[in-house]
Amino acid sequence: MVCMEAITRRYRVGGQVIAALDGVSFTVPQGQFTAIVGPSGSGKSTLLNMLGCLDRPDSGRYLLDGVDVSTFDDERASDFRNRRIGFVFQSFHLLPRLSVLENALLPRRFLRGPDEGLERRAHELLERMGLQRHLLHRPGQLSGGQMQRVAIARALLMRPALLLADEPTGNLDSKSAADVLALLAEVHAAGQTVVLVTHDPDVAAQAQRQIGIRDGRIEFDAAA
Ligand code: ADP
Ligand code: MG
């Protein structure tokens, strides 16, 4: 499903070159729930951007769903991203002027081609997230946990090959955080491939597998 081969990404800062990713290789089979865990500055965001086709490696190869995406130009990358990758962010990234339902339907706006029954799917997902009574509310009328559930519904709308979550519980109280992690586990149990990125070992422990990263290199790779 996910196959990273010797991925390197360097940044030039002043006169220095920093390897944010320094030869990272791993695979994630379809249906696995994996956590990438590491301290601040270890390369998590760089790796997540790579996994999400938001960035290209300086060297190495990245295959997603059998497709070599490391060579895509921006337009192909963004179309692929919209269809095949769902994103959940720490700060939710909902649009405040849109309703819950409109937020969940956001990927439809970038779709070229037929709608594929997305409105019905958005209703089903929001119901599954326990939000059926909030469809017409604005994000500002919801709790943090509810907002993150809207974001998860939006991320799943297009039936992505890969669901990526970047510190999805970072802005939540412990009860809402536990709810969101339980929801991700449920989504995984229904067959979704999930990769979660976190600095928090307790959050990472909720996944099936933990990949530790430090200084741009894989430090450990362990099943829970
Ligand atoms: P994390 O998300 O684990 O905190 P990052 O992937 O953000 O780590 O950063 C990894 C390393 O790459 C750090 O040393 C950081 O300073 C550097 N880095 C990240 N993004 C940039 C950038 N846009 N320009 C220069 N250096 C960067
Ligand atoms: Mg980061």
Side-chain angles (χ1 to χ4, degrees):
M1 162 62 49
V2 168
C3 178
M4 291 220 156
E5 296 172 1
I7 294 284
T8 301
R9 179 72 168 94
R10 299 183 196 87
Y11 292 109
R12 191 173 293 279
V13 185
Q16 278 204 344
V17 176
I18 293 173
L21 296 176
D22 189 9
V24 168
S25 302
F26 63 92
T27 62
V28 177
Q30 182 164 359
Q32 194 173 64
F33 183 5
T34 299
I36 293 167
V37 60
S40 177
S42 57
K44 300 185 299 295
S45 295
T46 306
L47 182 54
L48 193 98
N49 289 343
M50 209 64 78
L51 284 165
C53 296
L54 292 160
D55 193 12
R56 273 185 291 269
D58 291 311
S59 62
R61 221 158 66 108
Y62 172 28
L63 299 161
L64 177 53
D65 211 11
V67 180
D68 185 351
V69 293
S70 42
T71 61
F72 276 9
D73 63 22
D74 290 350
E75 194 182 327
R76 283 189 74 190
S78 68
D79 190 54
F80 187 85
R81 198 160 56 232
N82 190 46
R83 290 183 170 278
R84 305 307 290 144
I85 304 171
F87 287 92
V88 176
F89 302 97
Q90 175 169 359
S91 49
F92 321 129
H93 290 200
L94 300 178
L95 296 186
R97 292 176 181 280
L98 298 185
S99 69
V100 163
L101 180 60
E102 288 165 335
N103 267 285
L105 276 166
L106 217 54
R108 184 170 69 173
R109 298 189 175 200
F110 307 107
L111 204 60
R112 290 175 291 184
D115 170 290
E116 300 160 10
L118 292 179
E119 178 133 10
R120 174 156 174 210
R121 175 152 171 84
H123 275 97
E124 284 167 5
L125 283 166
L126 290 167
E127 190 163 325
R128 207 164 125 204
M129 303 293 148
L131 293 163
Q132 61 278 5
R133 295 206 312 281
H134 301 280
L135 299 182
L136 301 179
H137 289 165
R138 310 272 154 195
Q141 296 172 281
L142 304 179
S143 70
Q146 288 172 325
M147 285 195 267
Q148 196 58 301
R149 283 186 272 147
V150 177
I152 293 171
R154 177 184 60 191
L156 294 174
L157 183 75
M158 304 294 289
R159 303 181 191 277
L162 176 62
L163 179 66
L164 290 176
D166 187 7
E167 300 280 6
T169 60
N171 282 356
L172 301 178
D173 63 81
S174 56
K175 165 80 171 70
S176 304
D179 286 350
V180 162
L181 287 172
L183 202 52
L184 288 176
E186 207 178 296
V187 166
H188 159 246
Q192 178 69 51
T193 310
V194 181
V195 175
L196 177 156
V197 171
T198 182
H199 71 283
D200 183 344
D202 290 338
V203 171
Q206 306 294 310
Q208 281 179 300
R209 173 185 176 196
Q210 290 77 34
I211 298 177
I213 179 172
R214 184 180 289 269
D215 298 332
R217 294 175 184 215
I218 291 181
E219 188 182 38
F220 61 84
D221 186 345

